[in-house]
């Protein structure tokens, strides 16, 4: 009886071990490979799975979710011999767990070395200025190269991001000084352009003022000439009237010209700055008489017209 109990316990334990070795629960986001006598047979999907105990075993546990690989910082020499330190991160996803398990050994380490090698290749072919200003171009080039290289491993590289590119401190100081000099140069250029525009505006204003002055002087000269012309016409008419009067035998008309010249001479004498006292000569009475004669001449000229 005792032996039967022991045998039953051994049988139960053996069944429990068999069930334990045959039953496997695969988590969501993972796929496991099954190997029989060391050879791949099938892939276990997420959920409840059974295998042949003591014959089959779990080979590789692959995570099929997108994973993040932190690439170690490394120093890179640019095309213009500048030493920089780079830091990157890689995002990838296992799309074929069979090839990811049996086409490459230690997938994360292989991915990291591959990314580091391509970073040195891509950045080493660029100059420092292009390296610092074309981050998107670098990321695209790295993604294309690494994704192509990892395709036989059943891995899809989704993104590669260069997180930081750090030049040496002395080079950073030199770049800062260069940027400061370029900004000062642009400021001087803008200042010079502003002064030039101001000088042009001032010159244009002066030119416009001179044009307006010239036009004003021309208009004044034109008006003055027109006034002289009218004065000459009036003088000519007066001369014609006096000449006609003389021709008609009026002797007082001759005194018109003498009186006019005499009055002009007296006006100039009176307007002189040096003359303080003006003495009228005795001939002033003759001038007055001439003026009276001119008055009579004009009245006589008006009477026939009336």
């Amino acid at each position: 009886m005792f032996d039967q109990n022991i045998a039953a316990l051994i049988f139960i334990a053996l069944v429990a071990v068999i069930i334990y070795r045959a039953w496997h629960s695969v988590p969501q986001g993972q796929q496991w490979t099954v190997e029989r006598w060391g050879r791949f047979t099938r892939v276990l999907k997420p959920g409840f799975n059974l295998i042949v105990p003591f014959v089959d075993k779990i080979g590789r546990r692959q995570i099929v979710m997108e994973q993040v690989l932190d690439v170690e910082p490394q120093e890179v020499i640019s095309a213009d011999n500048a030493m920089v330190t780079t830091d990157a991160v890689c995002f990838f996803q296992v799309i074929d767990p069979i090839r990811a398990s049996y086409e490459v050994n230690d997938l994360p380490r292989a991915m990291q070395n591959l990314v580091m090698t391509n970073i040195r290749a891509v950045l080493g072919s660029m100059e420092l200025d292009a390296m610092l200003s074309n981050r998107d171009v670098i990321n695209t080039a790295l993604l294309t190269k690494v994704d192509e290289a990892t395709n036989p491993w059943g891995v899809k590289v989704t993104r590669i991001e260069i997180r930081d590119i750090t030049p040496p401190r002395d080079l950073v100081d030199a770049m800062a000084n260069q940027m400061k000099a370029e900004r000062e140069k642009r400021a001087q250029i803008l200042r010079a352009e502003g002064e030039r525009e101001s000088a042009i505006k001032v010159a244009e204003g002066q030119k416009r003022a001179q044009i307006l002055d010239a036009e004003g002087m021309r208009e004044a000269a034109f008006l003055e000439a027109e006034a002289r012309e009218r004065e000459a016409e009036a003088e000519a008419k007066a001369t014609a009237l006096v000449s006609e009067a003389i021709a008609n035998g009026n002797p007082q008309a001759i005194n018109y010209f003498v009186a006019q010249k005499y009055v002009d001479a007296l006006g100039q004498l009176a307007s002189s700055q040096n003359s303080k006292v003006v003495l009228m000569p005795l001939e002033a009475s003759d001038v007055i008489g001439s003026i009276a004669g001119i008055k009579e001449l004009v009245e006589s000229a008006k009477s026939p017209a009336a």
Side-chain angles (χ1 to χ4, degrees):
M1 185 68 180
F2 179 74
D3 293 338
Q4 291 179 354
N5 292 333
I6 293 176
L9 292 174
I10 293 174
F11 178 76
I12 293 173
L14 182 60
V15 171
V17 170
I18 292 174
I19 293 174
Y20 176 77
R21 295 291 300 272
W23 175 77
H24 290 280
S25 178
V26 180
Q28 184 67 37
Q30 296 185 15
Q31 292 185 14
W32 295 356
T33 63
V34 178
E35 299 176 355
R36 178 172 295 176
W37 311 118
R39 184 177 180 181
F40 167 78
T41 56
R42 61 194 179 96
V43 176
L44 300 182
K45 303 293 183 179
F48 177 76
N49 293 273
L50 292 175
I51 63 174
V52 179
F54 305 107
V55 177
D56 296 339
K57 69 174 185 177
I58 302 300
R60 307 291 177 87
R61 293 175 169 83
Q62 294 292 345
I63 300 174
V64 295
M65 297 180 292
E66 188 173 6
Q67 304 178 59
V68 180
L69 179 65
D70 191 6
V71 182
E72 296 180 358
Q74 61 176 334
E75 293 183 347
V76 179
I77 301 177
S78 64
D80 52 353
N81 297 323
M83 182 72 70
V84 296
T85 302
T86 61
D87 187 12
V89 61
C90 176
F91 297 85
F92 69 96
Q93 184 178 10
V94 175
I95 57 177
D96 190 346
I98 301 174
R99 289 190 294 172
S101 300
Y102 302 105
E103 295 293 337
V104 60
N105 185 29
D106 194 355
L107 179 61
R109 182 168 176 268
M111 288 283 298
Q112 186 170 22
N113 290 329
L114 181 63
V115 173
M116 293 175 64
T117 302
N118 281 276
I119 288 176
R120 287 195 295 268
V122 173
L123 296 184
S125 62
M126 303 175 65
E127 294 184 353
L128 180 61
D129 292 339
M131 188 186 303
L132 296 175
S133 59
N134 296 324
R135 193 74 61 88
D136 293 338
V137 176
I138 296 173
N139 294 336
T140 303
L142 288 174
L143 178 62
T144 302
K145 290 180 177 294
V146 176
D147 184 57
E148 183 180 357
T150 57
N151 186 54
W153 301 346
V155 176
K156 175 64 178 177
V157 180
T158 56
R159 284 176 296 174
I160 296 181
E161 298 289 339
I162 298 294
R163 292 188 295 190
D164 192 17
I165 299 177
T166 307
R169 185 61 190 177
D170 56 347
L171 188 57
V172 173
D173 294 339
M175 293 173 62
N177 293 331
Q178 180 181 1
M179 184 179 298
K180 181 179 179 181
E182 289 179 355
R183 288 180 177 177
E184 292 178 353
K185 177 182 177 182
R186 287 198 295 267
Q188 292 177 357
I189 292 174
L190 292 176
R191 191 180 302 111
E193 290 180 352
E195 292 176 355
R196 184 186 66 180
E197 291 293 332
S198 177
I200 291 174
K201 295 296 184 182
V202 171
E204 290 179 352
Q206 294 177 352
K207 177 182 177 181
R208 183 61 181 170
Q210 292 176 357
I211 292 174
L212 293 176
D213 291 341
E215 290 180 352
M217 294 175 63
R218 184 183 65 179
E219 187 69 20
F222 177 77
L223 293 177
E224 184 178 359
E226 186 177 0
R228 290 179 179 177
E229 182 180 357
R230 291 181 179 177
E231 183 179 359
E233 290 178 356
E235 184 70 19
K237 290 181 179 180
T239 304
L241 290 174
V242 173
S243 298
E244 184 178 355
I246 294 172
N248 292 331
N250 191 350
Q252 293 180 354
I254 302 175
N255 295 329
Y256 171 77
F257 295 104
V258 177
Q260 183 180 10
K261 299 298 182 179
Y262 201 89
V263 170
D264 292 339
L266 289 177
Q268 293 178 0
L269 181 63
S271 62
S272 176
Q273 296 180 357
N274 296 326
S275 61
K276 302 300 182 180
V277 179
V278 178
L279 298 177
M280 297 298 293
L282 295 176
E283 289 82 359
S285 59
D286 297 336
V287 174
I288 296 172
S290 299
I291 295 175
I294 294 171
K295 180 179 179 182
E296 294 177 359
L297 177 64
V298 173
E299 290 177 356
S300 62
K302 287 182 179 180
S303 58

